Amino acid sequence: MANQKKKLSLIGLSFAVIAATVGPVAYAQEKTGETKPVAAVAHRGDKQYFPDNSIAGIESAIKKNTDWIEIDLRYNLDGGTFFIAHDNTCSGSGGTAIIDTASYESVVTKCGLPELSDVFDIIAETGYTNFVYEFKDSPLTARTGAQRLAEEISEQGLADKSWVSAFNETSLNVIRAEAPSISLMRVRAWTGEVPVTNAWIDATVSQGFDAININIDALRPESIEYAKSKGLVVSAWGWPDALEDDNQKAIELGVDMFMTDRLEDLVALTH
């Protein structure tokens, strides 16, 4: 699992350092008798202060020295384009559109959503590369969209610097076939406090994925230890939002990455 170790070495990217140096710096090294800090992942950007998946939220998260930024992607079949959005239905001053099946012009006109190309522009301008791209597929886009996402990330030279997360194993398998150096994160749907099982973890390993991403209330110390013993990165998220108490819980549990909706608090606790 060299790909996972490479990913963890990138967790500590700092905006200020990136702007001044050629490459990333390693995150805080684990010290004897100490627990390695959790990597702060800005869930859909700095959503405490800005709209979900907005360019302003992404830029704010970079300035606040987050380790990673997670964004949601929806694939538009007509334009062969990814829009940054959580839901497949988008609404704006121009009306409502279904992102995957509407015309590209309709989504642009009605919803005014940012696109993946806007994120690539930010990467080019700042040098900040640590993104978790969560592919929100549909039955129509699982294969076509996954292949295109792998191609676009690779075309930007970001394959070995990126995570792609998804609920759908089909999409993850397509991405792995297209771009093996992209790290893959298998997400389990929200199940309340129902614990993740060793069987689910084993299935993640057997499919060759690199990480699990579980709602934090479904994680137990023993399941985290088991996943790590199998070489997996353990990521977690909160529902409906990951607040300060969840940040503290993530640290106490010892997950590797936590997708927080209270970014300033987690950065202060872990940096």
Side-chain angles (χ1 to χ4, degrees):
M1 292 291 181
N3 204 30
Q4 303 154 21
K5 295 178 181 177
K6 171 183 60 186
K7 280 292 167 280
L8 287 176
S9 72
L10 294 173
I11 285 175
L13 278 177
S14 162
F15 175 73
V17 174
I18 293 167
T21 61
V22 174
V25 294
Y27 196 50
Q29 297 295 312
E30 186 173 4
K31 298 179 181 179
T32 303
E34 295 181 357
T35 301
K36 188 174 182 179
V38 175
V41 185
H43 185 220
R44 306 179 197 165
D46 188 8
K47 63 179 287 187
Q48 183 176 2
Y49 299 103
F50 297 93
D52 283 13
N53 292 305
S54 65
I55 295 301
I58 291 170
E59 292 174 336
S60 177
I62 294 174
K63 292 175 182 177
K64 290 181 179 180
N65 201 30
T66 191
D67 300 311
W68 293 86
I69 300 172
E70 185 262 3
I71 56 173
D72 298 327
L73 298 175
R74 290 279 178 179
Y75 186 63
N76 176 257
L77 291 163
D78 176 61
T81 303
F82 290 93
F83 289 96
I84 307 176
H86 178 266
D87 298 320
N88 198 26
T89 300
C90 65
S91 298
S93 57
T96 300
I98 306 299
I99 295 175
D100 60 358
T101 57
S103 69
Y104 172 78
E105 290 78 9
S106 177
V107 178
V108 170
T109 300
K110 293 179 177 180
C111 304
L113 295 170
E115 300 180 27
L116 181 56
S117 59
D118 297 318
V119 174
F120 291 151
D121 287 343
I122 291 173
I123 290 172
E125 291 168 4
T126 67
Y128 185 96
T129 60
N130 275 15
F131 282 86
V132 179
Y133 304 93
E134 182 153 303
F135 180 33
K136 299 288 189 180
D137 58 22
S138 70
L140 293 174
T141 64
R143 291 186 178 277
T144 304
Q147 182 175 5
R148 186 58 197 145
L149 180 57
E151 290 171 350
E152 290 204 24
I153 291 173
S154 298
E155 288 165 3
Q156 296 293 321
L158 299 171
D160 62 347
K161 302 176 178 66
S162 303
W163 283 99
V164 171
S165 65
F167 292 85
N168 189 342
E169 291 85 359
T170 297
S171 295
L172 293 175
N173 282 318
V174 169
I175 290 169
R176 180 178 57 187
E178 182 69 30
S181 59
I182 295 176
S183 290
L184 301 176
M185 184 179 290
R186 186 187 185 201
V187 188
R188 195 185 76 162
W190 183 79
T191 54
E193 295 186 4
V194 178
V196 63
T197 64
N198 287 355
W200 194 88
I201 293 170
D202 288 337
T204 303
V205 174
S206 68
Q207 294 181 78
F209 304 144
D210 304 292
I212 58 172
N213 193 16
I214 309 290
N215 63 292
I216 195 163
D217 292 331
L219 283 173
R220 305 291 185 269
E222 57 271 21
S223 58
I224 294 171
E225 181 180 0
Y226 183 75
K228 290 185 177 184
S229 75
K230 295 294 183 176
L232 294 173
V233 172
V234 178
S235 177
W237 45 275
W239 179 263
D241 284 325
L243 306 180
E244 286 82 356
D245 288 348
D246 297 303
N247 289 342
Q248 187 61 47
K249 184 175 183 179
I251 293 170
E252 292 171 357
L253 283 172
V255 302
D256 296 304
M257 304 169 74
F258 188 58
M259 297 189 179
T260 183
D261 300 294
R262 294 295 182 267
L263 179 61
E264 289 179 357
D265 176 72
L266 187 56
V267 170
L269 290 171
T270 59
H271 286 61

